[in-house]
Structure formats: structure tokens, C-alpha cells
Amino acid sequence: MSTLDDPLDDFDARTYSFAESSKRVYVSGAGPAVIVMAEMPGISPHVARFARWVRQAGFTAYLPSLFGTDGAWPQAEAGLGVLRRACISAEFHALAGRGASPVTAWLRALARRALEECGGVGVGAVGMCFTGNLALSMLLEPAVLAPVLAQPSLPLDDPDALESDTAELAAVRNRLEREDLTVLAYRFEGDRHCRATRFEAYRAALGPRFVGRVLPDEAANPEPPPFFRDVVGCPHSVLTAHLIDGEGQPTAQARDEVLAFLRQRLHQGEHAQ
């Protein structure tokens, strides 16, 4: 993959305003809406590549700009600066004990609007790393039917904890059981930022409705961009920077499973395997 910045010129750059907060969202495709939330340090070329796969699978991809420089190749020093700013931002709760990030309310409003714009039975939500748990919190919005958590990494200071508080987890579990929904999640076995204990905490909170996949470390791309090599420092980004796009590759199989999950939920099961 090229190490150049991605101009994102095959997306329609729109501005959405909810609750006195405006954000740029890159939109492309046709079909049911899927909101793809970028990992640190922002909408990288790898994140945009994943959004294009979503588009090619028959969906309208909504790619909100939540932090960082849109389309930038993830350099180490610049990416670390983005991470530090996000950790003190009022929109995110990066540390334990603070509950779901406030930006989730804006994302729920985006899901409602996306359903209005695209139609269908509901909306998908894919969160990654810093935004991983946001996809779970978005389940409190009835429009969201297909949540995917890729290496959910918050809170950063407590690997055994979850960002969602007890009340939110109970509400999410109730909806999962009431509507026969599931949560699909991924991590690498040796990921230091999303450890096995976090998946265990999700299973304890959500029961069998939480479907966690663990990939072997050797399945990760050995040559990720500088931010992931020097700052992240371990196999981490299942669907983006550490994905190897090749036949039989576990990360490519994970991507295909995500796309199948979205089809099953958002196309009323017509493409279910």
C-alpha cells in the first residue's frame, strides 16, 4: 500500500451538526448506512481503505472526522500528538471511571440521520481502538443494529475495565436479548492495549451476545505505518494497519466476516450464510 496521504476525493465531504456540534463526515456508496469510526491517529489511508470495502460490499459508508488530519499517513510524532490531545478532549473519556465518551451522543444522532438518508432496516457501526467502545454505546440508539468493536482500547489506564458504566451495559444487554442482536469484536492475542481481560469483562457484562474473535499475533502485517510500529508497538489494528489483504490471511477473513455480519443485519438476512 502507498505511504502517501489519501485525498479522500472519492468521498463526499459533508458537514453534520447536532446539539451545537458540527463535524465533517466523508460519505460514499449506496445501500444501508454503516458508520466507520477511525482509530488513532485519525482517518488514515488504511481506515479509508476499510470504508471503501464497506462501500464495495453494498453499503453507504459514513466516515466521521473525530480527530487528527483527514487522510494523513500515520507518522509517529504527529500521531502521538493527536492521541495526547484526544486524551484531554471533553468529547472523549480516555480514562477509567468516567463512563461513555460524550461524543457518542453526536454519533447516535448521525446514525438517526443516516437511516433517514439511506433507508433500510437500520445502521451498522464499526469502532476501532480509541473509538471501539463507541460502537457499543451507539446501541442505545434504536437505528443501530450491527455493532463491531475492533480492538476497543478505552479506558487506557485500566486494561480490565470497560468504558461503559454499569447502567449502560445493562441497557445494552437488555436490547441485545430483546431484539436478538449480537456484538462482534476483534483483537490480536498479544495486543497490550486491548487485552484478554477486556474481552472477558465484555463477556461477563453482555453474556453470549458478545462474540469475541482473537487472532494470532503472527497474522498481523509486520510492516505497519510508523505510528503503529513505534507508538502502538504491538499487533493491534485488525481491520486496518495490521490487516494483510491476501487469500487465506486471518485478518482478511476477519474483514470478510465483518462485511457478512453487516449484510446479515442490514439486508434483513437475505445474504446470511
Side-chain angles (χ1 to χ4, degrees), residues 61-73:
Y62 284 70
L63 194 51
S65 177
L66 302 176
F67 39 71
T69 301
D70 300 338
W73 183 253

Side-chain angles (χ1 to χ4, degrees), residues 1-6 38-48 67-82 221 223-232 237 240-242:
M1 187 173 186
S2 171
T3 60
L4 298 176
D5 293 351
D6 190 324
E39 64 195 351
M40 281 292 155
I43 301 176
S44 69
H46 285 98
V47 171
F67 39 71
T69 301
D70 300 338
W73 183 253
Q75 300 293 350
E77 185 175 351
L80 185 57
V82 173
N221 174 16
E223 298 181 358
F227 176 81
F228 297 91
R229 183 191 65 217
D230 301 335
V231 178
V232 176
S237 299
T240 54
H242 286 108

Side-chain angles (χ1 to χ4, degrees), residues 142-202:
V144 177
L145 296 181
V148 178
L149 284 59
Q151 67 277 350
S153 302
L154 300 186
L156 296 175
D157 59 338
D158 188 348
D160 299 332
L162 302 179
E163 186 189 29
S164 299
D165 60 25
T166 301
E168 179 172 283
L169 289 168
V172 167
R173 180 165 184 164
N174 180 268
R175 186 181 177 211
L176 293 172
E177 294 174 348
R178 184 177 67 250
E179 300 184 28
D180 191 24
L181 301 177
T182 52
V183 176
L184 194 56
Y186 296 87
R187 60 177 293 272
F188 282 106
E189 185 175 16
D191 190 343
R192 299 193 301 271
H193 311 287
C194 180
R195 302 182 188 180
T197 49
R198 178 153 293 146
F199 270 30
E200 291 167 5
Y202 276 120

Side-chain angles (χ1 to χ4, degrees), residues 92-134:
F92 296 95
H93 287 167
L95 304 180
R98 301 183 63 195
S101 293
V103 72
T104 307
W106 187 93
L107 290 164
R108 289 179 190 136
L110 177 63
R112 291 192 294 272
R113 180 67 59 80
L115 182 59
E116 293 172 1
E117 292 178 348
C118 299
V121 297
V123 173
V126 182
M128 310 173 183
C129 176
F130 208 81
T131 66
N133 191 70
L134 301 185

Side-chain angles (χ1 to χ4, degrees), residues 229-252:
R229 183 191 65 217
D230 301 335
V231 178
V232 176
C234 62
H236 180 65
S237 299
V238 174
L239 302 176
T240 54
H242 286 108
L243 184 146
I244 301 175
D245 185 18
E247 185 176 354
Q249 292 291 336
T251 49

Side-chain angles (χ1 to χ4, degrees), residues 57 59 259-261 263-273:
F59 301 99
L259 297 177
F261 173 70
R263 283 194 294 268
Q264 179 182 15
R265 286 299 180 190
L266 304 181
H267 286 290
Q268 304 183 59
E270 60 188 283
H271 297 292
Q273 296 179 347

